[in-house]
Amino acid sequence: MTDLWYVLVLLVITLFLIEYLRRRLTVGGYRGKYVLVTGCDSGFGQRLATRLDNLSFKVFAGCLTEDGRLYLSKNCSENVVPFLLDVRSNESIQSALDLVKQNLPKDIGLWGLVNNAGIVGNMAVSELCSKSDYLACFDVNLFGLIEMTRTFLPLLRRSKGRVVNTSSLLARLAVFAPVYTLSKCGVEVFSDFVRREMYSKGVQVSIIEPGAFKTPIFNYDTMTKAVQQAYDSASDEVQSLYSGFVSKYRQMMEGLDKSPKIDLVVDAYIHALTSRFPKARYAPSNDSSLLNIPLSYLPTWYTDWLKQY
């Protein structure tokens, strides 16, 4: 029996070593690879565009605002092509496709599509959220991501490239912000479908599940205003039930441990784009890998009690 345990331990160690070595193998040839990134105005997207530029990738950096586009124009090399992109608009996405095709060399496909653009939306409890709240958030986080993926898959198949989609740790354990969380759960499921559908076509799909990081997406005044408006629009009965929720929400958000190390997330993006064997899922934060994911495997009654409002 002891010998069997030794064999099992050795087998596990060997498998982990093989996995570790596989993940370190890279595709190389970055100078000839083209990547499109959405949501490059700030945060993860902006940092990713500059990091890819430093690695000599050719980058199409989609920005929602002119300020975002100008920042990248001034701070990146000519390898980065910043342009205006609104993933909510099919016309804007089609214009992006035309731009990419015009700048791709003949017979060269797109190596990577990073669907990073996202918003938080109304982060109130579900009873305070309207259909329009869900539609507004889904339009960016899910529907825009789906349309970008559908539009650029032919170019990605040509190069046997990568799709990298931004989800959230909340998609692993639904405990907060139902509008945002539902949009990210949709990203997870859609990504799984595309990964399996593209398995035999050579296109690899990865999901990034960040935790809480210090990025401009966390604008407390805007977020609290949205929650306050949702509360004010509710019936007297619902307002009575959630009395004090807005102030508690603000305190909770301000007390949330948000990591300033956004390069943890950007490193995951880059690994998904450069590894010969990228992961299907990345959890680049301690609150994701050490808290929410383990909690998601515990009995439901325990997590319901622990994460009650």
Side-chain angles (χ1 to χ4, degrees):
M1 190 68 173
T2 303
D3 291 340
L4 179 59
W5 276 110
Y6 283 139
V7 171
L8 290 175
V9 170
L10 181 60
L11 177 60
V12 170
I13 293 174
T14 301
L15 290 174
F16 272 99
L17 180 60
I18 292 173
E19 177 70 2
Y20 173 77
L21 293 174
R22 287 176 80 248
R23 299 300 183 193
R24 293 180 66 85
L25 296 174
T26 60
V27 294
Y30 301 159
R31 291 181 183 276
K33 287 182 167 53
Y34 292 75
V35 177
L36 192 162
V37 184
T38 69
C40 293
D41 298 83
S42 61
F44 303 141
Q46 188 179 92
R47 183 70 64 87
L48 176 59
T50 57
R51 291 272 303 274
L52 290 174
D53 184 24
N54 292 336
L55 290 171
S56 299
F57 279 91
K58 306 296 191 300
V59 183
F60 300 101
C63 301
L64 181 63
T65 66
E66 182 64 18
D67 287 343
R69 191 191 70 80
L70 288 175
Y71 176 88
L72 291 176
S73 295
K74 294 177 181 178
N75 292 277
C76 294
S77 76
E78 61 182 12
N79 287 333
V80 177
V81 180
F83 65 101
L84 294 179
L85 172 65
D86 185 346
V87 299
R88 297 169 297 182
S89 165
N90 287 353
E91 291 76 13
S92 183
I93 292 174
Q94 184 60 48
S95 295
L97 177 63
D98 294 339
L99 174 69
V100 171
K101 285 183 175 180
Q102 290 167 11
N103 285 272
L104 282 177
K106 186 178 180 181
D107 299 325
I108 296 294
L110 187 66
W111 174 253
L113 169 64
V114 180
N115 285 306
N116 167 74
I119 62 173
V120 294
N122 182 2
M123 300 188 78
V125 294
S126 58
E127 199 168 4
L128 296 177
C129 297
S130 66
K131 180 179 179 179
S132 61
D133 291 326
Y134 286 95
L135 289 175
C137 194
F138 277 46
D139 210 13
V140 178
N141 295 356
L142 181 57
F143 301 148
L145 177 148
I146 291 172
E147 196 60 28
M148 284 292 297
T149 304
R150 291 179 62 252
T151 300
F152 287 94
L153 266 179
L155 291 179
L156 292 162
R157 280 197 297 268
R158 186 181 299 175
S159 63
K160 298 186 185 301
R162 310 289 169 80
V163 177
V164 185
N165 290 333
T166 307
S167 179
S168 168
L169 71 92
L170 292 175
R172 293 290 192 104
L173 185 66
V175 295
F176 181 61
V179 169
Y180 178 79
T181 299
L182 274 171
S183 72
K184 294 303 185 180
C185 287
V187 170
E188 297 265 341
V189 175
F190 175 73
S191 301
D192 284 341
F193 272 118
V194 176
R195 188 180 64 254
R196 288 162 185 148
E197 291 166 354
M198 292 294 107
Y199 186 86
S200 62
K201 310 296 188 300
V203 177
Q204 301 189 62
V205 181
S206 296
I207 304 168
I208 312 296
E209 301 172 329
F213 286 86
K214 289 183 179 179
T215 67
I217 198 173
F218 281 104
N219 185 314
Y220 297 127
D221 291 334
T222 301
M223 294 160 66
T224 303
K225 182 180 179 180
V227 172
Q228 183 68 62
Q229 289 176 341
Y231 178 82
D232 293 341
S233 300
S235 66
D236 292 341
E237 178 183 358
V238 173
Q239 286 187 0
S240 176
L241 180 64
Y242 294 104
S243 176
F245 171 75
V246 177
S247 60
K248 291 178 182 178
Y249 165 83
R250 176 81 186 219
Q251 293 172 3
M252 178 179 65
M253 291 305 300
E254 291 180 343
L256 191 64
D257 185 19
K258 296 171 288 297
S259 172
K261 300 177 180 180
I262 69 171
D263 277 311
L264 288 174
V265 178
V266 178
D267 287 344
Y269 281 132
I270 290 175
H271 187 273
L273 290 168
T274 62
S275 174
R276 289 181 60 186
F277 303 99
K279 298 179 181 179
R281 280 176 170 77
Y282 294 81
S285 56
N286 289 338
D287 51 0
S288 178
S289 58
L290 300 180
L291 182 61
N292 277 56
I293 292 176
L295 284 176
S296 68
Y297 290 101
L298 293 178
T300 303
W301 64 265
Y302 178 73
T303 52
D304 287 351
W305 169 79
L306 185 66
K307 295 293 186 175
Q308 61 184 303
Y309 286 96

